[in-house]
Amino acid sequence: MTDPNAYLILASTGLAGLGIVVTASLAGWRGWLALRRVELERSHGMTSIAPAAGTRIEIADLKERIRKLEAIAAGVDL
């Protein structure tokens, strides 16, 4: 492989392959960024899923009151 044209062909083929890999990687990176952007926009619009600690205590208190009222209505002695 002492022909200078062979080196030129080999170098241009390698450069073209590298360009294809870089272009595909860039397209994948942009797609991943778009996905993350959509996820962030979706999560930003949502309210918090877990209620605050005070709210959970109030809900537990209300559930206990409901149990007591159901027991009273059923005639069960507490």
Side-chain angles (χ1 to χ4, degrees):
M1 218 162 120
T2 58
D3 186 23
N5 288 334
Y7 290 123
L8 184 63
I9 291 172
L10 182 63
S12 61
T13 304
L15 188 60
L18 181 63
I20 291 170
V21 169
V22 167
T23 303
S25 298
L26 183 61
W29 175 253
R30 287 181 178 166
W32 183 81
L33 286 177
L35 174 68
R36 295 297 295 168
R37 187 175 299 118
V38 169
E39 288 177 352
L40 286 174
E41 288 173 357
R42 185 176 296 156
S43 67
H44 181 66
M46 298 176 72
T47 59
S48 64
I49 295 173
T55 306
R56 287 183 286 183
I57 292 171
E58 290 177 13
I59 291 173
D61 185 44
L62 289 173
K63 286 182 179 180
E64 183 63 30
R65 288 181 185 180
I66 289 172
R67 280 190 215 108
K68 288 180 180 178
L69 287 174
E70 287 175 344
I72 292 171
V76 177
D77 195 20
L78 297 176

